[in-house]
Amino acid sequence: MSRVTELSDDERKLAELGYKQELDRSWSGFSNFAISFSIISILAGCFTTFGVGWNNGGPAAISWGWPIISLFILVIGLCMSELVSAYPTSGGIYWWASKLGGVKAGYYTGWLNLIGLLAIDASVAYGCATFLDLALSSFSDSWAAGYSLGRVFVIFIVVLVLMALVNIFSAHLLAILNNISVWWHVIGATAVVLILVFVPDNHASASSVFTHTINNTGLFGGSTSGIGFLLYILPLSAILTQYTITGYDASAHLSEETKSAANAAAKGIWQSIAYSAIGGWILLLSFLFAVQDEAGVTKAGGGVAAIFSQALGSKWGGLVLLISAVGQFFCSVACMTSTTRMLFAFSRDRAVPGAQYWSRLNKNKVPVYGVIVSAVIAVLLTLPALIEVDINGAPVPVAFFAVVSIGVVGLYVAFAIPIWYRWRLGDKFVPGSWTLGSRYKWMAPIAVAEIAVTSVVALLPTSLGGMPFTPDFEWKYVNYTPIVVFGALLLLWVAWHVRAKHFFTGPKMTIDLPPDVSSADELELEMEGRTAHQHKPES
């Protein structure tokens, strides 16, 4: 009992949830906010998925869609803030679902969350590589002349290696980098806006920014009116916002490393969403007002690089691209941190094959093998990006957008499950120090409904060539999100019924382990048919 009284408030709360303190609790509340803000990264999503909004609705879809979708996402985030305040563990989403909905709900939630995080790692790192290549091409004609998808893929692998090394080195270094990242995003985004305001000689009219529509998919004959455009094309543009403002569950995954986590992690979630929503809208409007030739942007596939080339020229455009690329690197590092902490927690509870490796911490208290396997999976997920695809004569990164959609579906469906169970529990739910009060009664259903709609949208074909059973169909145009998502769900269903339900019991308790025995140690002994508590030498 004397040992318990020596625990800090954070350690005591963690002990109540069944865990002893294994990770290094060195993060401040600002650092916790910083990692979610870095992962949301308006310098990443607003740049890399701008083409999704442009091709599926155009300027009007972006200028109106961003603030509307952002409000829905803020509601989702507020619901999650209440949950993390009650249950501040690295398992985050998975732990909440297990606590509120049972072992099976936790199993599927954890895997969806993990799949989504792995896809986000891949997409942000590939986006970073793409924009670094674009920036170098702006500064060097010879570099631009040597462009190839293979070269971008090599840069992508280099980015992944650097992400892994930073994550392996030190948790304290990560906190410092994330603090720097916040200011890079604030100052960098401000610099980009100012450049786009003052450097171009001309700007688009408010009418074109808020009323012009585009359909660059080839679907519905390219029409920008009618039921097909309103109910199919326009909803696809929501992926720009839904992808950019995601990953804020990092505040939950890092809660075991955060001081005063019950309050700090809750604020980290909703504040990172709110500030990113405001900053992102300003940034996107600066892009739209800088457009000199709508048709030229559309012909180039809707990417922001075409806008910068038109409005700024190579040197100013290169600077903007470089600011974005650095921001995306910070985002990539933070994404991998969040992924590996979730993988650590899920493995600690025996839910992942090879769990004894992914829950193993090095001397810096970092899950080093989890970092390595996350990087390898990111490479495998992004291999289709080596296939060159043109839609309507424009280069469109179909594989990149598919990885984006996988991340959106995996993460947001995982978010919806514990929010749904919390709503069903009603007033029986015991909140933490940060609570929604009675507002959960209308917020939770709205959050779940928004996630359901956008998840279906993310599964849809995004071009005429990707539409099955049509003359134009080719596999290189396919949005392979449903293949990955439904394939993963099928494998999870089989794994659950064949093996997992017989041994997986949800969150494990580690609070009673001896001080010198980690959860990874216990797992290794369990796999030998013993536990750390019961192991005795054979006589």
Side-chain angles (χ1 to χ4, degrees):
M1 183 63 71
S2 61
R3 179 168 153 254
V4 174
T5 59
E6 295 172 0
L7 299 177
S8 68
D9 289 342
D10 285 309
E11 290 171 333
R12 189 175 297 109
K13 178 64 177 176
L14 191 60
E16 290 172 3
L17 300 176
Y19 297 114
K20 71 174 185 175
Q21 187 73 48
E22 292 188 69
L23 296 164
D24 184 20
R25 196 178 288 273
S26 61
W27 291 49
S28 66
F30 182 80
S31 295
N32 184 280
F33 155 80
I35 190 168
S36 284
F37 188 76
S38 295
I39 291 176
I40 291 174
S41 182
I42 58 176
L43 290 176
C46 287
F47 282 75
T48 59
T49 51
F50 180 86
V52 176
W54 186 275
N55 293 328
N56 298 285
I62 296 170
S63 58
W64 291 106
W66 178 275
I68 292 170
I69 301 298
S70 293
L71 287 173
F72 282 109
I73 295 173
L74 182 59
V75 170
I76 295 168
L78 289 167
C79 291
M80 290 171 62
S81 291
E82 183 178 54
L83 286 164
V84 76
S85 182
Y87 312 123
T89 75
S90 289
I93 323 301
Y94 145 73
W95 205 97
W96 309 340
S98 299
K99 175 72 174 180
L100 301 174
V103 174
K104 191 174 183 180
Y107 174 80
Y108 281 99
T109 300
W111 272 106
L112 284 167
N113 192 202
L114 185 56
I115 290 167
L117 288 168
L118 290 167
I120 294 295
D121 283 353
S123 62
V124 178
Y126 190 80
C128 178
T130 300
F131 274 75
L132 181 58
D133 188 79
L134 286 170
L136 292 173
S137 295
S138 297
F139 293 122
S140 169
D141 291 337
S142 61
W143 184 271
Y147 171 80
S148 72
L149 290 175
R151 185 177 74 186
V152 174
F153 203 84
V154 169
I155 298 173
F156 163 62
I157 292 174
V158 172
V159 169
L160 281 172
V161 170
L162 292 174
M163 287 164 55
L165 290 175
V166 172
N167 270 277
I168 289 170
F169 186 72
S170 168
H172 182 63
L173 174 63
L174 286 170
I176 294 172
L177 283 177
N178 282 306
N179 292 349
I180 295 171
S181 174
V182 170
W183 298 112
W184 183 271
H185 279 80
V186 172
I187 297 170
T190 301
V192 170
V193 171
L194 291 175
I195 290 170
L196 291 171
V197 168
F198 291 108
V199 174
D201 294 328
N202 301 296
H203 289 87
S205 67
S207 174
S208 65
V209 168
F210 290 101
T211 66
H212 285 198
T213 54
I214 292 167
N215 177 1
N216 197 30
T217 66
L219 296 165
F220 306 104
S223 174
T224 57
S225 61
I227 197 74
F229 179 76
L230 290 174
L231 298 184
Y232 192 103
I233 303 301
L234 208 53
L236 289 171
S237 67
I239 300 300
L240 163 61
T241 316
Q242 202 81 14
Y243 168 71
T244 302
I245 310 181
T246 195
Y248 42 83
D249 55 320
S251 289
H253 296 311
L254 274 294
S255 58
E256 287 186 33
E257 295 168 69
T258 302
K259 299 169 185 176
S260 303
N263 276 312
K267 291 178 181 177
I269 290 176
W270 77 261
Q271 288 180 352
S272 62
I273 295 170
Y275 294 140
S276 296
I278 296 169
W281 196 34
I282 295 170
L283 189 62
L284 289 170
L285 288 177
S286 74
F287 295 170
L288 295 172
F289 277 107
V291 172
Q292 310 292 303
D293 174 17
E294 281 188 7
V297 176
T298 301
K299 186 177 180 181
V304 291
I307 297 176
F308 304 151
S309 177
Q310 290 179 1
L312 304 175
S314 61
K315 297 301 182 282
W316 281 110
L319 176 61
V320 169
L321 292 168
L322 187 60
I323 290 171
S324 171
V326 174
Q328 289 177 51
F329 180 74
F330 282 128
C331 176
S332 301
V333 171
C335 286
M336 183 169 280
T337 306
S338 179
T339 301
T340 53
R341 295 324 188 262
M342 193 279 155
L343 178 57
F344 163 80
F346 208 31
S347 299
R348 177 175 62 183
D349 295 333
R350 323 305 194 247
V352 184
Q356 71 271 27
Y357 300 109
W358 325 135
S359 59
R360 172 69 62 189
L361 303 178
N362 66 6
K363 64 180 181 180
N364 294 318
K365 296 189 176 182
V366 172
V368 58
Y369 297 119
V371 172
I372 294 170
V373 76
S374 298
V376 171
I377 292 172
V379 172
L380 297 176
L381 271 177
T382 319
L383 281 174
L386 288 167
I387 302 170
E388 191 165 345
V389 179
D390 284 352
I391 296 176
N392 294 334
V396 177
V398 172
F400 170 77
F401 291 150
V403 177
V404 163
S405 295
I406 292 165
V408 167
V409 174
L411 286 183
Y412 273 99
V413 173
F415 297 170
I417 295 171
I419 292 173
W420 167 258
Y421 279 113
R422 185 269 173 269
W423 180 68
R424 286 187 59 186
L425 196 62
D427 294 335
K428 294 179 182 178
F429 174 79
V430 180
S433 54
W434 196 100
T435 176
L436 291 174
S438 62
R439 290 183 289 273
Y440 79 88
K441 295 179 181 178
W442 61 267
M443 283 188 171
I446 289 175
V448 172
E450 197 274 350
I451 291 170
V453 172
T454 51
S455 295
V456 171
V457 168
L459 301 175
L460 299 174
T462 55
S463 69
L464 187 60
M467 188 72 71
F469 314 113
T470 64
D472 298 302
F473 177 81
E474 289 186 50
W475 277 104
K476 67 179 182 178
Y477 296 116
V478 167
N479 173 11
Y480 60 90
T481 305
I483 298 172
V484 173
V485 171
F486 290 121
L489 288 174
L490 178 60
L491 288 174
L492 291 176
W493 182 85
V494 171
W496 171 260
H497 287 282
V498 171
R499 188 165 181 266
K501 73 176 182 181
H502 300 297
F503 76 89
F504 179 67
T505 57
K508 294 277 187 180
M509 303 296 102
T510 66
I511 188 60
D512 293 327
L513 291 178
D516 58 342
V517 176
S518 69
S519 53
D521 293 330
E522 188 194 31
L523 179 54
E524 285 186 358
L525 290 171
E526 273 186 21
M527 294 186 67
E528 297 172 2
R530 298 164 292 182
T531 67
H533 310 82
Q534 300 168 334
H535 176 54
K536 295 179 181 179
E538 293 182 6
S539 57

